[in-house]
Amino acid sequence: MRYAVIGIGVAGVSALEAIRSVDKTGDIVMIAEDPNGYYSRPGLAYYLTGELDGGTLYPRTKEHFESLNFRYVKGRVTRILRAEHALEVDQKTKISYDRLLIAVGSMAVPLDVPGAKLEGVFKLDHMEDAKRIVKSAKRGKTAVVVGGGITALEIVEGLVTHGMKVHYLLRGDRYWSNVLDEHESRVVEDRLQAEGVKLHFHSGLTEILGKNNRVSGIRLKDGSTIKCDLVAYAIGIRPRLKLAQEAGLTIERGIFVNEHLQTNDPEIYAAGDVAQAYDPLTERSILDSLWTPAREQGYAAGLNMVGKRTAYLKSAPFNATRLAGLTTTIIGAVGGGQDDDLVGIARGDSETWRVMPDALVAQSGFDINRLRLMVGENRLIGAVIMGDQTLSMPLQKIIVGNLNISSIHDKLLAPDAKIADVIADFWTNLKNKP
Ligand SMILES: Cc1cc2nc3c(=O)[nH]c(=O)nc-3n(C[C@H](O)[C@H](O)[C@H](O)COP(=O)(O)OP(=O)(O)OC[C@H]3O[C@@H](n4cnc5c(N)ncnc54)[C@H](O)[C@@H]3O)c2cc1C
């Protein structure tokens, strides 16, 4: 059997590992264009701040890859020739396959304003972008960052670490309003302001101004201008669909796949950011843009490719991240989803969050250590944990494991409930049960 995998992201690599765990002798070829191979994209935030060097970003060793015994082709797949069961690489070489996985991920939505092509304008899709940003960041100079989700904030923090004066433009009246509540947004904003970041609410960029083909400033929609040396944006992502589109595969918002990650062509699978996967539990087709679903989809796709029928079952969304230096875990359904202009921007955003059932909200705010729980009838639907992470593991287990919390339901919703203590007691009792 000849397997081909396009993309050396987490979905592609997980598929490779799954294939090799079953088929020890089949011929596997992986084709990818990223010059840096496999690395943690979420880790790029820490690369920007200088906390992780390039080396630590690589989750797999050379020895591990060698043990998988596959052929690696560095190049760009330019066409999928379905009738021939072959791929065209860099418009010349042909590679044949019996089973193919498309795991080409997503890319930043480009900034569509005059001046967007000037030198000094950046996005953050991959390691090369991160390197470019670090190289251009200069102490004492000014940057403008555009975008409402985690990636934009990561860029802001990276630039601040490099000593830049940062203007951060937000379209709405607060940060990441489709996931965070008002209090949480303000916690993040206050911390940014304390670091010297200038926040501009209700503002949009209409033009990037340049001198000698380099960024010299920006114009806002109210006509005012800000002088700056660098502009960075993270205004959304979109799946890389061109290859699948040209090959005539069924596409909606992503490549349409069933719960076995199989496209309308039974020899071709898709996984990760590029795939819109059917979830048998909710009976919906979901486009995720998160590391864990990409890994799980890739692994399930690999097993299906070797003939081991495995359904991909989406688990509750889980994202551990850092917002303005504050460790934040977001589990399950937490947002209201009123702010449509942020859809697709938020890393850590999952569509499940926007169709959440009616939920009661219990809140407990202790300055920066904030815990917010979404309490359903018999179970917890979601949680936001900012700062102290003691409860994050128990909450993950309770929410993802769908545990019955009816015994503490009323306690959680009682006026002035000490919800952290209630959860801690519940968890201790559970663990101590014989
Ligand atoms: C800055 C940043 C921060 C993030 N933070 C988080 C986070 O905190 N939490 C979280 O859960 N997720 C986060 N994500 C999202 C997460 O990284 C993605 O969901 C995940 O990497 C998707 O994996 P993938 O394998 O589908 O695609 P990718 O990792 O994008 O890999 C796609 C691969 O395909 C290759 N490729 C594309 N087109 C071709 C072609 N035509 N020919 C050959 N090769 C091709 C690319 O070079 C690449 O190797 C972040 C992403 C970024 C960029």
Side-chain angles (χ1 to χ4, degrees), residues 41 104-111 123-126 129 146-152 154-155 171 233-241 253-254 272-275 287-291 294 319 340-351 354:
R41 277 174 212 277
V104 292
S106 54
M107 60 188 191
V109 170
L111 194 59
K123 60 180 172 62
L124 180 58
D125 252 354
H126 42 60
D129 291 332
V146 189
I150 296 184
T151 307
E154 288 171 347
I155 300 173
R171 270 163 79 161
Y233 64 92
I235 55 170
I237 50 170
R238 65 166 72 122
R240 286 197 181 90
L241 294 173
R253 283 163 306 142
D273 280 10
V274 77
L287 187 71
D288 262 315
S289 52
L290 288 169
W291 183 267
N319 194 9
D340 279 348
D341 70 358
L342 287 179
V343 170
I345 291 175
R347 303 285 186 185
D349 177 18
S350 164
E351 294 177 8
R354 277 178 247 122

Side-chain angles (χ1 to χ4, degrees), residues 122-140:
F122 300 97
K123 60 180 172 62
L124 180 58
D125 252 354
H126 42 60
M127 177 85 91
E128 290 304 298
D129 291 332
K131 286 182 184 167
R132 279 192 275 266
I133 294 176
V134 168
K135 210 168 150 211
S136 303
K138 297 254 177 337
R139 189 158 291 281

Side-chain angles (χ1 to χ4, degrees), residues 6-8 31-37 72-77 90 104 240:
I6 316 175
I8 189 168
I31 310 103
E33 61 175 350
D34 193 316
N36 297 291
Y72 183 61
V73 175
K74 193 170 146 320
R76 180 181 184 74
V77 175
D90 292 327
V104 292
R240 286 197 181 90

Side-chain angles (χ1 to χ4, degrees), residues 333-393:
V334 298
Q338 306 88 343
D339 192 353
D340 279 348
D341 70 358
L342 287 179
V343 170
I345 291 175
R347 303 285 186 185
D349 177 18
S350 164
E351 294 177 8
T352 319
W353 296 358
R354 277 178 247 122
V355 289
M356 68 181 186
D358 285 342
L360 300 158
V361 184
Q363 298 185 339
S364 164
F366 314 101
D367 194 17
I368 58 163
N369 284 332
R370 178 165 172 81
L371 173 65
R372 174 158 61 102
L373 302 178
M374 308 297 280
V375 186
E377 271 297 291
N378 298 315
R379 60 191 188 96
L380 287 185
I381 292 162
V384 175
I385 308 143
M386 291 180 113
D388 187 338
Q389 294 294 306
T390 316
L391 287 178
S392 105
M393 191 274 285

Side-chain angles (χ1 to χ4, degrees), residues 21-38:
S21 73
V22 179
D23 186 340
K24 308 287 182 202
T25 55
D27 175 43
I28 310 177
V29 58
M30 174 178 265
I31 310 103
E33 61 175 350
D34 193 316
N36 297 291
Y38 179 46

